[in-house]
Amino acid sequence: RNQELSSSGHCLVLSRLANAVTPLWRLPYQEQLQVKYESQRKILQTLASRLEELGIDAQKPGGLCCPLQPVVPSPIINGYRNKSTFSVNRGPDGNPKTVGLYVGTGRERNIVCVKANHVENIPSKHKQVAQCYEEFICQSPLDSCILFHEGGHWRELVVRTSRRGHTMAIITFHPQQLGQEALATQKALLKEFFTSGPGAVCALTSLYFQESTMTRCSHEQSPFQLLHGAPHIFEELLGLKFRISPDAFFQVNTAGAEVLYQAVGELCQATGDTVLLDICCGTGTIGLSLAHQVSKVIGVEVVEKAIEDAEWNAAFNGISNCEFHSGKAEAVLPQLLASWEDARPLVAVVNPSRAGLHYRVVRAIRSCRAIRRLLYISCKPEGEAMRNFLELCCPPDPRKKLAGEPFAPVLAIPFDMFPHTDHCELVLLFTR
């Protein structure tokens, strides 16, 4: 009876995890696409209403701000993620060194860390590395770091893979009061475990270690230390080879990214004399994949290592019409566009994080008369991106220093980059 109860409780917590991480996993895929279409339709209705409040006649058939095309399906439905982040915390069985994903909330104080073995969007290789990492830290005399002020050391694991068969593992460690000699010992044990111990089964291409006293650290704040293997993994996308650093942005669904970027290329309507402005360019994937269509690509990205990757990617692929700028878009772009005198057509593609574009970036885009066409790619259009949409489309506002002719949304296409979840990547085309 105890075994039955234990098994029942285990199945319940696995279902809770699947429902939290992949809430649509029980639905047939075509039904998932329909659910996502309806959610994107509501977002466009909201945008239309918000624009109406600003005095802009944006109501189209169905109450939308612009036509909405059907959701473009993902070529791969299961195990599509090329990057997974696993936490370390107390599991359902009380093990404080469980490596998995969170269920529950801090507010209700019912957080528990559950192994991701049954989560359908995570590939088996990622689950294998997570299991090996858990085995290693369970053997370690050092505690896991659940709350910073309570001590402990072992923290999250990031796994990145490519279709070329490469696997990168990045382990975050809180040093607390450990000295350099003690840290060196832990790094040596970790390397030994994954190269000649039980973890060797993972066949890691790269093993990184980061000492971090914060929830998230950039390479500049705390360098990624290579313990084993190559400093980068490589991916092929649309016939090009891309180098990926530990913290560089790369679309999480590689096959889906190919479909997305091909569509972006068509929507740009770029000709041979077009200049493509790739804002939040990451490792340069969008700009480089479209470089053959345009006369020049200008990329802007805040992560310095990603810019190094983008420059390497351009050189390796023999692409010479690209230039990349490292720094915050709100610092780089206004300077770049303020002195813009190039007579060639200028098309902008923006692919920001969920935080959206800084208002200075929107201001610079609005003020640049050469930009007549803008593609905004958002994984959360109902969030901060909505603020950007309104800033792009509102009448000139001297109080907000928003000058220049406003844009208007003309077409929306959702791409299912995240099957089994309720998220979509929305491409919204603006013109003026």
Side-chain angles (χ1 to χ4, degrees), residues 420-432:
H420 305 304
T421 77
D422 49 15
H423 298 294
C424 246
E425 198 87 11
L426 182 67
V427 176
L428 199 49
L429 171 62
F430 294 90
T431 62
R432 62 177 177 178

Side-chain angles (χ1 to χ4, degrees), residues 75-87:
I76 300 173
I77 300 172
N78 295 325
Y80 57 85
R81 293 190 65 90
N82 56 39
K83 180 181 179 183
S84 298
T85 301
F86 299 95
S87 300

Side-chain angles (χ1 to χ4, degrees), residues 143-186:
D143 293 334
S144 56
C145 180
I146 295 175
L147 296 173
F148 290 179
H149 66 277
E150 291 184 358
H153 301 277
W154 300 112
R155 293 190 54 236
E156 72 179 25
L157 162 74
V158 175
V159 183
R160 304 189 75 153
T161 50
S162 73
R163 294 185 295 188
R164 293 171 62 89
H166 298 167
T167 304
M168 176 187 288
I170 307 154
I171 288 166
T172 308
F173 183 91
H174 196 308
Q176 301 292 356
Q177 307 304 317
L178 291 184
Q180 290 303 310
E181 186 175 339
L183 284 168
T185 297
Q186 295 307 314

Side-chain angles (χ1 to χ4, degrees), residues 5 26 40 89 133-134 188 246 265 279-280 357-358 365 386:
L5 288 171
R26 297 179 189 273
Q40 300 304 303
N89 210 313
Y133 179 50
E134 180 175 310
I279 303 170
C280 309
L357 294 174
H358 194 280
I365 292 171
M386 182 67 71

Side-chain angles (χ1 to χ4, degrees), residues 31 144 206 321 353:
E31 290 186 30
S144 56
S206 311
N321 63 337
S353 67

Side-chain angles (χ1 to χ4, degrees), residues 186-394:
Q186 295 307 314
K187 288 185 274 189
L189 289 171
L190 196 59
K191 177 180 177 180
E192 180 185 7
F193 179 87
F194 277 104
T195 55
S196 56
V201 67
C202 298
L204 295 182
T205 309
S206 311
L207 174 61
Y208 274 98
F209 183 88
Q210 186 185 41
E211 299 166 29
S212 175
T213 58
M214 298 182 286
T215 304
R216 287 284 186 277
C217 263
S218 67
H219 176 77
E220 288 73 29
Q221 293 169 317
S222 180
F224 291 97
Q225 304 169 44
L226 182 65
L227 302 187
H228 165 72
H232 309 93
I233 59 173
F234 295 87
E235 185 58 281
E236 289 181 0
L237 190 147
L238 295 175
L240 301 176
K241 184 176 181 180
F242 290 91
R243 186 179 87 172
I244 303 171
S245 295
D247 60 344
F249 172 77
F250 199 90
Q251 284 285 357
V252 77
N253 181 341
T254 307
E258 290 185 313
V259 176
L260 172 65
Y261 296 163
Q262 284 175 320
V264 167
E266 294 171 5
L267 292 169
C268 281
Q269 291 186 356
T271 59
D273 62 342
T274 300
V275 177
L276 177 68
L277 185 59
D278 187 3
I279 303 170
C280 309
C281 67
T283 55
T285 46
I286 293 178
L288 292 171
S289 64
L290 304 182
H292 67 285
Q293 294 181 218
V294 300
S295 61
K296 185 177 182 180
V297 173
I298 302 173
V300 179
E301 169 61 42
V302 67
V303 178
E304 192 174 326
K305 285 291 181 182
I307 287 292
E308 291 178 14
D309 287 344
E311 291 172 340
W312 185 94
N313 293 335
F316 182 85
N317 290 287
I319 299 172
S320 57
N321 63 337
C322 297
E323 66 178 53
F324 296 99
H325 299 264
S326 175
K328 291 182 178 180
E330 60 267 29
V332 175
L333 203 64
Q335 290 183 335
L336 194 66
L337 295 181
S339 57
W340 189 266
E341 295 179 353
D342 198 314
R344 291 174 291 182
L346 181 59
V347 176
V349 176
V350 300
N351 186 16
S353 67
R354 292 188 177 190
L357 294 174
H358 194 280
Y359 75 92
R360 287 186 189 142
V361 176
V362 177
R363 184 195 302 171
I365 292 171
R366 289 258 321 223
S367 299
C368 183
R369 296 175 63 185
I371 301 176
R372 314 303 298 172
R373 199 171 187 85
L374 169 71
L375 282 167
Y376 195 119
I377 305 171
S378 175
C379 62
K380 194 176 181 182
E382 71 277 19
E384 289 301 308
M386 182 67 71
R387 169 181 54 83
N388 291 159
F389 301 158
L390 297 172
E391 291 169 341
L392 287 166
C393 298
C394 71

